[in-house]
Amino acid sequence: MISYIPKKVYYEKEVLKYEQGLEIYNRYKNMGIPTIEISSHNKIEELRQLPDKEFTNLKKYLILGIRKSLRLIPNDKSADFIVPFTSSGCMAMCTYCYLVCTFFKGAYLRVFVNREQMMQAIKRKINKIGEHKVYELGSNSDMVLENVITGNLRWAVEEFGKLDNATATFATKFNMVDDLLDSKHNGNTQIRISVNPHEIIKKVEIGTSSLDERIKAANKMYRAGYKVGINIAPIILIKDWRRNYKKLIKELHDKLNKEMHDKIFFELIFMTYGYANDIINKEAMPNVYNVFDKNIMRPKGRGKYCYKQDIRNEAESYIFDEISKYFPYAKISYCV
Ligand code: SF4
């Protein structure tokens, strides 16, 4: 398991004008963690110059900054709007991580301390639209992991609890949800627990919580009154994927709170693998399990690969069948 105490903290000076920024900065400084001033979280020259093989070390750093762009982006999958929220990047090292395709070796955890401004942007949107919409808070990070450092997820859940016409949603591969259980969420927050077969979590989703821990977190959140969904993502067609995904869905059936069975919804997302992932993995984690299989994948846009259509169709129909066998009343919200 990864440590949530960073090895170094890089911070924009402006951050110290914010109560939260100052508190996080002082917390780690007082622990003797090196703190290094930077001009911008987007331009950390001393990190940019490091070779790709330093990726796993970079993941141990925490960057504190101010988020400039507060524009909500329309979406038609997990939410109506993607919110640029309080973090980007993560301390874990899933070998397919989509953030590596955007940030390359800079996919480390950045925390933005101007959370009030982000919440104001959400409220402006809610007032403008005047009807119920769903807002995705964690599309660029894992909010449950970030919450361990900042408490921002609990804060956001309680802020959404005071709102009409808005549901907050986030997906997670972590189990540290205890801080959320007694929050005043008012039924306005939905959690999507992201799952995969044991073998994939162990070999590929490095530094995340185990399947058992994630299922227990789903049960706790359900008992605490949250809306709970299951995000099977990304689906990775390893050699014996049928057996693995069948076992996963049966395990969900056996271990998820029975009352939840006909209320939960599923989201299915097939893996996209980037050329950037390949470079970083080969340099920084040369012995890691290789999820890229050129025999069953095809190019998808620039520098990315996805499963060939016939292979994917077969897997999609297999997984749909297994879900309907074990969860006949559950909805599959989307499959991409
Ligand atoms: S948990 Fe999410 S953000 Fe973190 S490394 Fe894995 S895929 Fe990337």
Side-chain angles (χ1 to χ4, degrees):
M1 199 59 180
I2 50 178
S3 162
Y4 305 114
I5 299 178
K7 284 254 182 331
K8 287 184 189 173
V9 175
Y10 290 83
Y11 69 99
E12 292 174 4
K13 203 169 169 192
E14 185 75 9
V15 154
L16 305 182
K17 294 184 185 155
Y18 290 77
E19 194 184 330
Q20 184 184 56
L22 189 61
E23 189 279 312
I24 297 174
Y25 170 85
N26 281 333
R27 185 197 315 162
Y28 292 126
K29 194 167 180 60
N30 292 339
M31 287 168 77
I33 309 267
T35 51
I36 299 126
E37 190 182 320
I38 49 172
S39 57
S40 162
H41 66 84
N42 277 324
K43 242 190 274 157
I44 311 178
E45 216 39 57
E46 76 172 71
L47 300 188
R48 210 200 296 217
Q49 283 170 1
L50 292 172
D52 294 342
K53 67 171 191 293
E54 288 297 316
F55 174 74
T56 53
N57 288 324
L58 295 181
K59 281 281 191 169
K60 295 172 187 151
Y61 301 158
L62 171 65
I63 320 300
L64 298 175
I66 310 289
R67 192 185 269 292
K68 306 277 184 317
S69 167
L70 303 174
R71 203 172 64 84
L72 278 65
I73 301 151
N75 180 258
D76 61 359
K77 304 259 171 354
S78 60
D80 297 300
F81 290 99
I82 306 278
V83 181
F85 210 52
T86 50
S87 53
S88 127
C90 163
M91 286 175 147
M93 285 169 282
C94 304
T95 64
Y96 53 73
C97 181
Y98 56 106
L99 295 174
V100 169
C101 297
T102 310
F103 298 110
F104 211 61
K105 63 173 177 272
Y108 33 63
L109 177 61
R110 302 170 209 214
V111 165
F112 306 109
V113 298
N114 50 329
R115 65 185 188 183
E116 275 84 6
Q117 284 168 286
M118 297 166 214
M119 194 50 77
Q120 284 307 324
I122 296 169
K123 287 179 185 170
R124 279 197 297 276
K125 183 62 87 182
I126 293 169
N127 289 337
K128 194 170 159 199
I129 295 176
E131 60 183 77
H132 181 266
K133 296 286 177 196
V134 180
Y135 298 83
E136 168 67 70
L137 301 184
S139 72
N140 259 342
S141 65
D142 195 301
M143 289 302 298
V144 170
L145 181 141
E146 191 224 295
N147 191 59
V148 174
I149 294 167
T150 63
N152 278 342
L153 183 54
R154 182 185 168 101
W155 175 82
V157 160
E158 297 209 332
E159 287 294 307
F160 270 85
K162 295 177 211 158
L163 300 174
D164 294 323
N165 280 339
T167 296
T169 187
F170 59 91
T172 184
K173 296 183 198 302
F174 290 89
N175 72 325
M176 302 81 83
V177 295
D178 288 1
D179 185 39
L180 306 174
L181 301 180
D182 65 350
S183 73
K184 297 185 187 69
H185 61 77
N186 201 19
N188 289 355
T189 294
Q190 176 190 83
I191 181 170
R192 287 134 49 224
I193 298 280
S194 178
V195 296
N196 244 323
H198 290 286
E199 192 180 333
I200 292 178
I201 291 179
K202 211 167 96 203
K203 293 181 176 167
V204 179
E205 298 183 342
I206 298 159
T208 62
S209 301
S210 70
L211 178 60
D212 283 340
E213 289 169 329
R214 296 187 206 179
I215 293 175
K216 279 185 194 144
N219 286 335
K220 282 185 190 175
M221 290 295 275
Y222 177 76
R223 281 196 299 271
Y226 285 85
K227 295 169 191 156
V228 179
I230 298 292
N231 175 295
I232 305 186
I235 296 166
I236 305 179
L237 302 180
I238 55 175
K239 215 167 160 205
D240 49 356
W241 60 265
R242 288 179 197 76
R243 185 183 61 81
N244 272 287
Y245 280 97
K246 186 186 185 66
K247 197 168 156 235
L248 168 69
I249 294 161
K250 181 175 184 319
E251 208 164 330
L252 291 171
H253 172 269
D254 294 347
K255 293 183 179 170
L256 282 172
N257 188 319
K258 295 284 174 274
E259 287 170 30
M260 211 196 295
H261 282 201
D262 50 2
K263 295 192 189 82
I264 53 170
F265 59 92
F266 285 85
E267 298 172 340
L268 308 181
I269 304 173
F270 280 83
M271 182 179 72
T272 298
Y273 190 71
Y275 186 57
N277 296 115
D278 210 41
I279 294 173
I280 292 287
N281 293 342
K282 280 183 180 144
E283 285 294 320
M285 301 182 277
N287 299 322
V288 88
Y289 180 87
N290 184 13
V291 291
F292 177 62
D293 181 347
K294 67 174 178 349
N295 296 318
I296 57 171
M297 299 192 85
R298 64 169 173 87
K300 178 196 181 192
R302 243 178 107 209
K304 290 190 181 161
Y305 297 88
C306 65
Y307 290 110
K308 289 178 182 167
Q309 200 58 47
D310 54 333
I311 310 270
R312 190 208 134 122
N313 288 350
E314 190 202 337
E316 187 175 318
S317 121
Y318 182 86
I319 293 171
F320 267 64
D321 284 352
E322 290 302 312
I323 291 175
S324 61
K325 202 189 295 172
Y326 287 103
F327 296 92
Y329 302 107
K331 182 180 160 202
I332 298 178
S333 304
Y334 66 89
C335 176
V336 287

